[in-house]
Amino acid sequence: IDHDTRSQDDLLSLRILVAEDNKVNQKVVCKMLSRLGHDTVVVQNGQEAVTAITENEGSEFDIVLMD
């Protein structure tokens, strides 16, 4: 069995847009992603996520997480 032996420092750091309306969930997901070395931007809902993606052309996101 070949196990992935890369350290966290070797993993790609992503810019992640998180659409979440619950404040507790926002804190949890941001803390988890931060510990993995990712940058997060939080919005309250899907409409704000669409706005963040379309109106902020200088802010590119690698991935969007929505519930």
Side-chain angles (χ1 to χ4, degrees):
I1 298 174
D2 185 23
H3 294 282
D4 186 6
T5 58
R6 295 180 296 170
S7 71
Q8 282 189 348
D9 294 337
D10 295 334
L11 296 176
L12 178 66
S13 177
L14 300 174
R15 182 165 164 81
I16 302 173
L17 177 61
V18 177
E20 174 59 61
D21 59 347
N22 182 287
K23 297 289 186 192
V24 173
N25 290 346
Q26 287 175 0
K27 289 180 182 181
V28 170
V29 73
C30 287
K31 189 70 166 180
M32 291 172 64
L33 293 170
S34 176
R35 286 183 179 172
L36 293 171
H38 303 300
D39 295 322
T40 58
V41 173
V42 176
V43 295
Q44 295 294 313
N45 56 51
Q47 183 59 48
E48 288 182 14
V50 171
T51 300
I53 292 167
T54 59
E55 291 185 357
N56 299 315
E57 293 184 27
S59 298
E60 294 183 8
F61 298 100
D62 298 302
I63 190 169
V64 178
L65 299 178
M66 298 173 62
D67 66 347

